[in-house]
Amino acid sequence: MRLSHEDGTLVHVSYNAGVHPAEDLENLIAHLTRYAVPVRRRLGVDRLGIGLWLAPAVADHLTADRIELVRLRRSLEERGLEVVSLNGTGGRGMGQDSPGPDWAKPERYRYTMALAKILAFLLPEDVRFGSISTIPIGWRRDWPADLHAIASRRLDRLSRELRGLHSVTGKTIRVGFQPWPGCVLETTEQVVRRVCGIDSEYLGVCLDACHLTCGVEEPGAALRGVADAGATVVKLGHVHNHTGEVPGTESILENTLAAILAGPGSGGAHIEVEAHGLAAPAKGKGPAALVAALADELDWTRRNLTAFGLKLAA
């Protein structure tokens, strides 16, 4: 879904399609038909955003065969779907819930750049910015200085390659690092210092609404730190209706959206609704149960955003 901020900025709302992963292109398209299209119809919108998770084998296939990449884009267009963001956390031979290789390993860089090239092609013609979420470097345990130096060199190379991709395609693809407890990057401040210090335009922060809501970080301080450093909020992920569970979700959504729109890299705000927690309750009830749950979560997000003054956009 697209919404418009009063300053004209487009806010793209999608759901994390990793809730029904596919290890090949055929199944990926089938899942979009079975779930995403009915969700779009249930919401009554002409266009629905999908936060795709692509298995490494699928990413390799699409970058090696342009005809298949064209096929995926046409499949999305025919179904009223659009992709402005990819989930880049999974690694080779790993599921979408596994962190996969860390940033000291070449597989992580190759996978991320493959996703960047794919996303640059999948972006709608009128959208210039795409986002990819990735892991917070790696696990903190057993992370010696030499690995940090290797990871930093890979991020520097990633920055250069993303700039080169922009010069060729005209599309800006940003990679957002999501802080997580127990990892090299546990806090937003660490992401800003270690990642955005390398490149604050193409590398940024992927903020996790659950992470902020649950008090892992003080939301106001985290958001101010991003703004003060001139860093980019690449994506707000894990947006989820916590009513009855954890209070304050609406304020987190509002304040984080404000931070994204105020950031130096603004040109479009990407919000991804979390869907993994919906799969288990819907299991065994058929596709309709998951479709209904996904539509309800997206509708909750839409209602909160419009309450902030955003308008539905064509």
Side-chain angles (χ1 to χ4, degrees):
M1 291 181 293
R2 294 186 180 191
L3 297 97
S4 178
H5 187 260
E6 60 182 7
D7 67 1
T9 301
L10 275 181
V11 177
H12 296 269
V13 179
S14 61
Y15 81 87
N16 186 344
V19 68
H20 31 71
E23 294 290 339
D24 58 63
L25 187 57
E26 292 294 337
N27 278 310
L28 174 61
I29 294 173
H31 286 328
L32 294 176
T33 304
R34 184 176 300 115
Y35 297 104
V37 172
V39 169
R40 179 181 62 76
R41 290 172 178 164
R42 192 179 180 101
L43 290 168
V45 295
D46 294 329
R47 178 166 38 193
L48 178 65
I50 302 296
L52 285 183
W53 174 80
L54 299 176
V58 177
D60 289 344
H61 178 64
L62 291 172
T63 52
D65 191 336
R66 189 172 180 83
I67 293 177
E68 290 287 79
L69 187 55
V70 170
R71 178 187 171 207
L72 175 57
R73 176 167 177 152
R74 288 178 177 171
S75 295
L76 291 164
E77 293 171 347
E78 290 167 357
R79 289 161 177 76
L81 308 173
E82 68 176 7
V83 173
V84 301
S85 184
L86 296 178
N87 182 328
T89 57
R92 185 171 302 279
M94 300 288 184
Q96 80 281 1
D97 292 323
S98 171
D102 58 48
W103 271 100
K105 296 182 175 63
E107 294 91 343
R108 172 60 61 183
Y109 165 78
R110 289 197 294 266
Y111 176 55
T112 305
M113 272 311 302
L115 294 181
K117 293 172 183 177
I118 291 167
L119 183 56
F121 185 81
L122 293 180
L123 283 180
E125 293 295 334
D126 62 340
V127 176
R128 296 186 296 116
F129 298 91
S131 62
I132 298 172
S133 53
T134 190
I135 63 170
I137 303 294
W139 291 107
R140 190 178 68 246
R141 63 177 183 270
D142 301 323
W143 190 263
D146 60 334
L147 286 187
H148 180 64
I150 292 171
S152 295
R153 288 196 294 271
R154 296 207 193 286
L155 296 186
D156 183 67
R157 182 182 178 189
L158 176 68
S159 167
R160 296 195 306 271
E161 291 295 326
L162 291 174
R163 290 177 180 276
L165 184 62
H166 174 265
S167 69
V168 173
T169 66
K171 304 290 188 178
T172 297
I173 307 300
R174 299 185 176 115
V175 175
F177 293 74
Q178 180 179 313
W180 198 257
C183 292
V184 176
L185 305 178
E186 291 189 290
T187 66
T188 301
E189 188 275 333
Q190 288 175 333
V191 176
V192 169
R193 186 177 70 250
R194 295 195 182 189
V195 173
C196 301
I198 294 173
D199 186 330
S200 61
E201 182 179 1
Y202 286 84
L203 308 181
V205 185
C206 176
L207 288 175
D208 186 309
C210 293
H211 185 83
L212 295 176
T213 303
C214 294
V216 178
E217 292 188 72
E218 198 285 307
L223 296 171
R224 285 193 298 273
V226 174
D228 292 346
T232 300
V233 176
V234 172
K235 179 166 68 174
L236 173 62
H238 277 92
V239 173
H240 173 55
N241 181 3
H242 289 87
T243 304
E245 302 173 24
V246 181
T249 302
E250 292 87 350
S251 63
I252 295 294
L253 182 60
E254 181 178 16
N255 293 338
T256 308
L257 177 64
I260 296 173
L261 296 171
S266 184
H270 297 174
I271 297 176
E272 188 170 276
V273 173
E274 177 54 41
H276 286 93
L278 306 177
K283 190 174 183 180
K285 299 180 180 179
L290 182 55
V291 166
L294 288 168
D296 287 347
E297 286 287 338
L298 285 162
D299 185 55
W300 176 87
T301 304
R302 175 172 60 181
R303 283 186 282 109
N304 275 276
L305 291 174
T306 54
F308 304 153
L310 275 69
K311 307 293 184 183
L312 289 175

